[in-house]
Amino acid sequence: MHEPVLVLNANFEPINVCNTRRALGLILNGKASLVLNGRGEICTVRASFPKPSIIRLDKMVRRPRLSVRLTKREILRRDEYTCQYCGKTVPYLTIDHVIPRRLGGRHVWDNLVAACPTCNHHKGGRTADQAQMRLLRLPKEPPSSALYLFSRHLHENEEWLPFIQGW
Ligand SMILES: [Zn+2]
C-alpha cells in the first residue's frame, strides 16, 4: 500500500506523488478517478479494487508552481553525485557552502554544492577563491519541470513518462 502513485490535477498537470492507500481513499471518497491501473488488484473481504498507478483529481486544485525542495538529497541529485571541485564520485559526499556561512554565505541553491570530504576539508572555512579551488560549474536552482521533479520515480514507474513530459 506504500507504492508511489502519481496525482494529476483536473487539467492533467502532475502535481504530487502519494501512496496507494491515500490514492484509494481519494477515489473511494469521489475526489479522484483512476487514470492508469497497471498494478493488479487489491482484494478486501467485500470487493476488489484496481490498484492505481496514476490518479486524477476531479476538481482543479489551485496551488503555487512546484519547485525542487532545497535538501541534501536534491543538491546531490542536481550535482549528479559528483564533487563539484575535483569531479570525483565518492560514496560519502558532503554539502559545501561556496561562501562559508560565517562569511555571510547563505543556505541557497547558488551557494551550495556537493563536495567530497577531501575537498571540503581542504577548503575549510575559506571561499573557493581564497582556497584557489574552482567549481566545475556554477550552482543554481534546478528546473522546476515535472520531469525533473518526478524523475527519481521514473525508473520504477516508466508508465508515468507520457503524463510527466511537457509540464
Ligand atoms: Zn573533491
Side-chain angles (χ1 to χ4, degrees), residues 83-88 115-120:
C83 173
Q84 292 300 293
Y85 294 106
C86 71
K88 279 187 192 147
C116 72
T118 309
C119 288
N120 207 336

Side-chain angles (χ1 to χ4, degrees), residues 42-53:
I42 298 169
C43 297
T44 67
V45 193
R46 293 199 189 137
S48 68
F49 307 98
K51 209 170 176 183
S53 170

Side-chain angles (χ1 to χ4, degrees), residues 12-31:
F12 286 92
E13 180 182 5
I15 53 170
N16 196 10
V17 173
C18 71
N19 64 29
T20 303
R21 181 181 298 275
R22 166 125 181 95
L24 274 181
L26 288 168
I27 291 173
L28 293 175
N29 288 326
K31 295 191 170 153

